[in-house]
Structures are given as structure tokens and as C-alpha cells.
Amino acid sequence: MKIITVLVLDGVFDSSLSITLDTLHAAQAILAARGGAPQLKVRTIAARTFITTGAGLRMKADLQFKTAKQAVSDWIIVPGLGYHSDQELSDCFARSDTMRAMHWLAAAGTGTAKIAASCSAAFLLAQAGLLDGRKATTAWWLAQAFRARYPAVILDEARILVRDGPCLTAGAALSQLDLMLAIVSDVAGKSVAHLCSRYLLIDQRSSQARYMMRDHLEHEDRTVIAAERWIDAHLAQPMTVTALSSELALSPKTLSRRIKAATGVSPIKFIQRRRLSHAAHLLETTALSIETVAAQVGYQDSTALRKLIKREFGVTPSTLR
């Protein structure tokens, strides 16, 4: 018997919770039809008997936070919280039910359970201290707020799924689909996860980078904003970190430190992401050939651009188009 506990907070993102339960119920049905082990026991836990979702629906939880024994699970899953800003998360963390949830999660983290969260719920894991020194991901537009709050976490917001030790994190809200297939694969096997994806029409993806909108990737570092503007204005030209730092009247070391603090990547990776983001935009919104797109974003060889798009976005240029 595999035990999966779903932690539900008031304000939970409805689709994220539904995806979690629907995928687990599909796995249960497939396993029941096959007969034999393993079987899945799914239960929900919350601070109160009834919780209210983000859309205002009322749901009864199976358990309330009481003893550490409740944390005995193969997996603990925290669906996305449905919050869109750092201030909303701060308000959530100040609530008594959230504090109880974090204490319960912290206790669970000392046991053998694996713990998963998607979107803004990754903040809850980090706030509980479960992600310190580990790699993680979250919703791409919350990346800067996440880095500012949790510098001890190694964040890669370009990835949809990141697993480090017992912790599994996923990107924006509907990456809960990808997270659930990974969990089903872990507890019931790859074949059951594959059947779930077929029945529920879930396509597995490796990156959320191609969904990022540059205009929404904002932060407060004026130097990095200036670097972005200069890079975007000179995409077609040869570009080096030395040239960029000279343009901004900074040393390469200082520029590297500022970019790393704001985005989590090196200056070279930072430049590459700006180029790839613009390339994806051109492929999605114009009929320009891949060769023309490559030239406009600074790649003389379209083959190199194809390989980078495949590596960073997990799809081919034709799929983007």
C-alpha cells in the first residue's frame, strides 16, 4: 500500500487540486483493474475540517494537523496556492492555518516521506526550510521574489520539474500535471503513469522557458534592466560579457554578480536566454525562416539555434511555430 497525503490550504488553486486528485484517482482505477500491488491510499489534510478553494468551493478534508504520525506517507503533495504576487504570499504566510501547515511540513521533512509542490506552493516548502541547499523551480514570474526570499535555494525557473533528494517542485500552476505523472511513475510504475497521460490527454514537457514572457520577467535591479535593454537592441551583433560590462561602466565581475543575484544565471547564459526568448517570439508570431531568425538574434548558424531551442525549450523550432 502506497500512502499519498495531499495538503490543502484555504485559497488553493482549484485546477491544481483537481489535477492532483483526478490523476491519483485515474491511477487507482488502472491499478484496481490490473489487480495486485501496489494499491494507492489517497487522503487530504488541512488545518480545519472544511477548506475553501480559491474559486470559493467548499471541500471536506480527511484529516486535520494533529500528530507527527499523520506525516507517515510515501508522498506529501502541496498543490499550487493560487497566489500571484509576493505580497499575497506574505499575507498567506501570516495566517495561522499556513503556520500550522509549515510546522507540519517541517516535521514531515525529518521522516521518509517525499514532498512535492507546484507553482507558488514551492514557497511554502522553502518557508518551512525544506529546500535549503537544494535545487528547485517555481512559477517563472515569481522567480525574482523567490530568490530574494530564499537565497539558500538553487532556483532554476526555466525547468518544469526539479527533483532534489526527497523534494520535487514544479513550475506554473498547470505543471501540476507533470508533477503528478512523476509521482504516479514513482509509486505505481512508468506504465501506469503512461496510461494516465493517455486517458487524461497529458503531454509531458521538460521546460517552461518557452512560455515565459519577457515583459513579465521584471526585477528591481536597474543595472540588469539596462543590460536587458542593451542586449535586446543589439541581438543581431556579436556580443561579449566584456563589451556589455563596458557599455554599462562596470567591471565584468561586478556585472556578473548583479546578473547572478537578479536572475540566478551567468552573464553568458543571461545573454543566451534573451536571444532565445526573442527567437521564440519571432518563430511564434512571424513566418520568417529559421535561418533569418537565427541571423536576427545573433546566430550565424541556424543549426546552432535549432539545438539550443531543443535543449532549452524541450521542443523543435517547428513545434514553436
Side-chain angles (χ1 to χ4, degrees), residues 62-75:
D62 299 315
L63 302 169
Q64 288 78 54
F65 304 126
K66 289 182 180 178
T67 66
K69 290 183 179 180
Q70 295 171 314
V72 176
S73 307
D74 292 276
W75 277 95

Side-chain angles (χ1 to χ4, degrees), residues 8-183:
V8 188
L9 287 176
D10 277 330
V12 64
F13 199 58
D14 292 65
S15 61
S16 188
L17 176 60
S18 297
I19 287 166
T20 299
L21 298 176
D22 287 346
T23 306
L24 290 173
H25 292 159
Q28 285 177 317
I30 292 168
L31 289 169
R34 287 183 169 185
Q39 296 300 309
L40 304 182
K41 180 179 180 180
V42 180
R43 58 191 187 175
T44 54
I45 190 167
R48 294 180 291 275
T49 303
F50 290 95
I51 63 99
T52 303
T53 69
L57 300 179
R58 203 160 180 251
M59 172 187 169
K60 184 177 181 180
D62 299 315
L63 302 169
Q64 288 78 54
F65 304 126
K66 289 182 180 178
T67 66
K69 290 183 179 180
Q70 295 171 314
V72 176
S73 307
D74 292 276
W75 277 95
I76 296 169
I77 303 169
V78 189
L81 301 178
Y83 299 121
H84 303 95
S85 70
D86 192 48
Q87 184 57 55
E88 287 179 325
L89 286 162
S90 293
D91 294 341
C92 174
F93 292 152
R95 292 180 353 213
S96 61
D97 62 324
T98 308
M99 292 180 184
R100 291 178 63 190
M102 286 189 291
H103 289 149
W104 189 85
L105 278 172
T110 63
T112 60
K114 300 170 187 175
I115 304 176
S118 71
C119 198
S120 52
F123 282 70
L124 194 67
L125 269 59
Q127 191 78 3
L130 299 177
L131 298 180
D132 286 353
R134 299 189 185 279
K135 297 177 182 178
T137 188
T138 188
W140 55 264
W141 66 88
L142 291 171
Q144 179 59 20
F146 191 99
R147 283 195 180 89
R149 280 179 175 269
Y150 313 113
V153 182
I154 306 164
L155 185 71
D156 185 354
E157 71 274 21
R159 294 174 62 184
I160 282 184
L161 285 180
V162 173
R163 184 166 185 172
D164 192 336
C167 296
L168 176 66
T169 51
L174 293 186
S175 63
Q176 188 77 17
L177 292 162
D178 307 83
L179 181 141
M180 292 312 303
L181 288 183
I183 292 174

Side-chain angles (χ1 to χ4, degrees), residues 184-202:
V184 169
S185 179
D186 182 77
V187 298
K190 290 182 179 180
S191 63
V192 175
H194 177 67
L195 283 173
C196 284
S197 72
R198 296 286 296 272
Y199 281 121
L200 301 176
L201 296 183
I202 303 172

